Amino acid sequence: MVFLNLSHAYQGVDQMLYQPQGGELGTFSVFIFILTIIAAILAAILYIGTYRMYEKMGEQGWKMFLPMYSRYVLYQHVWNPKAYIAMVVLVIACGMSLYAAVFVTTLATMMMPPAAVPLPDYTLHVAIGSSVAIVAFVIHVIFSYKLSQSFGRGIGTTLGLAILPGIFCAVLGFGSAQFTQPDTAVWADVAVRRNNQVKKDIENVQIGLSSRHLTA
C-alpha cells in the first residue's frame, strides 16, 4: 500500500515538472515574447544613438556595425589608433599564450601516463593576463576621457563611457553635444585643426577686448 502511494506521488511530480498546464505555458511564452520585444526596442535605440554619434563625428554611421573597425575609427578621431592596435595585439597575444599552454598540457596528458604528467602551473600566465587586462582597461579609460572631452563633457560621461559605453555613446548621439575634433588626434584633418585654432584666436581676442573695457 505504501509503495502504491509513493508511485502515485512520483507520477504527480512528473506531471508537474514535465507536463505543464497549457495556461502556465502560454503565460510563460507571453512573458518571454514581451521581454524579447523590450530588448529589441532598447537595442534599436542604442544602435540609432550610436549611429548618430558617428554622424556627428563626420563618419558614416554604418561603420559602427563593424566590430573592431568601429572602435578603430573612434580612436582615429579622438586619440591615436596605434593605442587601440597595441591593446588588441596584447590581448590576442595573451590569449594565444594561455591557449598554447593548455594545448601542450592536454597533448602531454594524452600521450603520457597520467602519473608522469606534471601538474600545470599557470601562475605566470595568470600574472601576464592580469597585467594585460589592467593595461587594456587604462587605455580604455583614457580613450573614454578623450571621447568625452571631444563632446564637451566631463568626468561623469567619462565614467559612463568606460563602464557602459553603449548607453553613453547613444546619449552623445541623441544629446545636444557637438563633436569637436581635438588637435592632438593623429589623423585630425588640417581644416578642422585650422578652424579650431581660428575659434581659439577669436575667443582670445574677445577676452582681451572685454578685459580692456573693464580696465577702462
Side-chain angles (χ1 to χ4, degrees), residues 178-197:
Q178 297 299 318
F179 176 74
T180 301
Q181 190 162 3
D183 295 336
T184 56
V186 174
W187 287 5
D189 296 334
V190 176
V192 173
R193 293 184 181 182
R194 187 182 298 112
N195 291 335
N196 292 341
Q197 185 62 41

Side-chain angles (χ1 to χ4, degrees), residues 101-175:
V102 174
F103 176 77
V104 170
T105 303
T106 305
L107 187 62
T109 304
M110 295 172 59
M111 299 179 62
M112 300 171 60
V117 178
L119 294 176
D121 186 8
Y122 298 119
T123 304
L124 179 61
H125 294 85
V126 172
I128 295 175
S130 301
S131 302
V132 170
I134 293 173
V135 172
F137 182 73
V138 170
I139 293 175
H140 175 63
V141 171
I142 296 174
F143 162 75
S144 301
Y145 171 77
K146 291 183 176 294
L147 180 60
S148 174
Q149 291 291 310
S150 299
F151 281 91
R153 297 295 184 177
I155 189 65
T157 303
T158 300
L159 294 176
L161 289 169
I163 300 172
L164 299 170
I167 294 176
F168 278 83
C169 283
V171 170
L172 293 177
F174 285 118

Side-chain angles (χ1 to χ4, degrees), residues 27-154:
T27 303
F28 181 74
S29 299
V30 171
F31 177 72
I32 294 298
F33 177 75
I34 293 174
L35 285 181
T36 303
I37 294 299
I38 294 175
I41 294 174
L42 292 177
I45 293 174
L46 294 180
Y47 278 123
I48 294 173
T50 307
Y51 189 96
R52 295 186 60 180
M53 185 194 75
Y54 272 77
E55 289 185 336
K56 285 184 178 181
M57 299 176 70
E59 288 288 346
Q60 296 176 341
W62 59 265
K63 293 183 179 180
M64 61 162 288
F65 295 104
L66 303 179
M68 297 182 66
Y69 180 68
S70 60
R71 183 66 55 165
Y72 179 85
V73 169
L74 296 181
Y75 272 78
Q76 172 182 328
H77 278 279
V78 302
W79 192 15
N80 191 332
K82 293 181 180 179
Y84 177 68
I85 295 175
M87 181 180 66
V88 172
V89 170
L90 284 174
V91 172
I92 293 176
C94 181
M96 292 180 64
S97 175
L98 181 59
Y99 174 79
V102 174
F103 176 77
V104 170
T105 303
T106 305
L107 187 62
T109 304
M110 295 172 59
M111 299 179 62
M112 300 171 60
V117 178
L119 294 176
D121 186 8
Y122 298 119
T123 304
L124 179 61
H125 294 85
V126 172
I128 295 175
S130 301
S131 302
V132 170
I134 293 173
V135 172
F137 182 73
V138 170
I139 293 175
H140 175 63
V141 171
I142 296 174
F143 162 75
S144 301
Y145 171 77
K146 291 183 176 294
L147 180 60
S148 174
Q149 291 291 310
S150 299
F151 281 91
R153 297 295 184 177

